[in-house]
Amino acid sequence: MGLAPWPEGTGRHVLAEVDSTNAEALRLAARLTGPAWVLARRQTAGRGRRGRAWADPEGNFAASLLLRPGGGPAEAARYSFVAALALHDALSQAAGPMARLSVKWPNDVLLNGGKLAGILLESAGAGPVTLVIGIGVNLLEAPPATTLEDGALPPVSLAGETGQRLSPEEFLDLLAPAFARRAADLQAHGFAPIRAAWLARAARLGEAITARTGAVTRTGRFDGIDDSGALILTTAAGREAIPAADIYFGG
């Protein structure tokens, strides 16, 4: 596969072991002036959304990107969609044109209907946001199903579904340029083309899904995302924009 060049001005830190690449990126933030990727060959305390543990078998991809994108939290949140598209781009290049990839709101990439990758955004600082985008990809091995919560999609691996085997460093060489291209698109043209590209790859668009926020559960038709990235759900009660929730496909 042809490789795009590493993004100019972007740091690259490869560690044998770390507690969490997001935590390490935030620790490095004070002494880094530009964007930087932090890749760990092993995480001892990886985490996902809402404080959940992230299972990270050896050979899988665990990395975080430190950014200072400008703007406030609302603008920073849009980078979740930039990251999802970049992951889709990089995985398409790794797996080939026949791979059945899709994106799942708000932060997953699916392969053949199973969860292949997840994204975790964290931020620090008042005013202009220091943003860390953590990305985990099951390159070689899917974590055991016993680690899943009820209703979660089954995990899959790139190697298991496609036979393609990449090291974490090789995958970073695909992902970093892909992210730089998508981020440049956001900076140049705003969120609209990112939103359109994300919707073109969205899993279950126009179909029934269930959204859970705390103790509240709603089931309705997934009608896309709005200009803020909130999920649009149409139920018997009407149309609602949901800024944060866990999504379940059911059946």
Side-chain angles (χ1 to χ4, degrees):
M1 64 186 73
L3 289 179
W6 185 262
E8 185 176 353
T10 298
R12 179 188 178 110
H13 304 262
V14 178
L15 309 173
E17 181 176 299
V18 74
D19 53 353
S20 154
T21 58
N22 267 26
E24 180 66 12
L26 287 168
R27 288 192 289 264
L28 289 171
R31 63 178 195 263
L32 293 177
T33 58
W37 284 94
V38 177
L39 170 72
R41 297 190 182 98
R42 181 170 182 266
Q43 280 191 126
T44 59
R47 59 187 186 271
R49 290 180 69 241
R50 304 184 188 277
R52 300 180 182 118
W54 177 265
D56 190 27
E58 186 175 355
N60 285 353
F61 181 84
S64 298
L65 174 62
L66 173 71
L67 285 178
R68 294 182 177 88
E75 289 77 17
R78 292 173 171 172
Y79 280 85
S80 175
F81 300 93
V82 172
L85 288 174
L87 263 175
H88 193 287
D89 293 342
L91 289 164
S92 295
Q93 191 173 359
M98 300 305 292
R100 190 164 60 88
L101 291 160
S102 59
V103 292
K104 176 178 178 284
W105 191 91
N107 67 339
D108 295 337
V109 179
L110 311 182
L111 174 60
N112 298 335
K115 181 172 176 175
L116 178 63
I119 301 161
L120 175 66
L121 267 65
E122 295 185 297
S123 60
V129 170
T130 295
L131 181 66
V132 173
I133 305 170
I135 295 174
V137 185
N138 301 328
L139 289 179
L140 293 183
E141 185 179 344
T146 54
T147 64
L148 303 180
E149 61 178 319
D150 289 344
L153 290 174
V156 298
S157 71
L158 182 68
E161 295 296 309
T162 70
Q164 300 294 328
R165 300 176 69 89
L166 278 77
S167 71
E169 291 92 336
E170 288 171 327
F171 186 71
L172 182 59
D173 284 336
L174 297 177
L175 179 59
F179 187 95
R181 288 192 300 271
R182 293 291 186 178
D185 194 20
L186 177 66
Q187 290 291 327
H189 305 293
F191 188 55
I194 297 295
R195 176 179 176 272
W198 189 93
L199 287 170
R201 295 158 177 78
R204 303 297 179 96
L205 185 63
E207 298 181 21
I209 62 170
T210 296
R212 294 179 189 163
T213 306
V216 178
T217 298
R218 320 163 184 77
T219 297
R221 189 179 64 240
F222 173 31
D223 281 338
I225 58 174
D226 67 13
D227 290 340
S228 73
L231 179 138
I232 300 170
L233 191 71
T234 302
T235 70
R239 191 175 173 94
E240 182 180 2
I242 301 174
D246 290 319
I247 299 301
Y248 300 89
F249 291 159

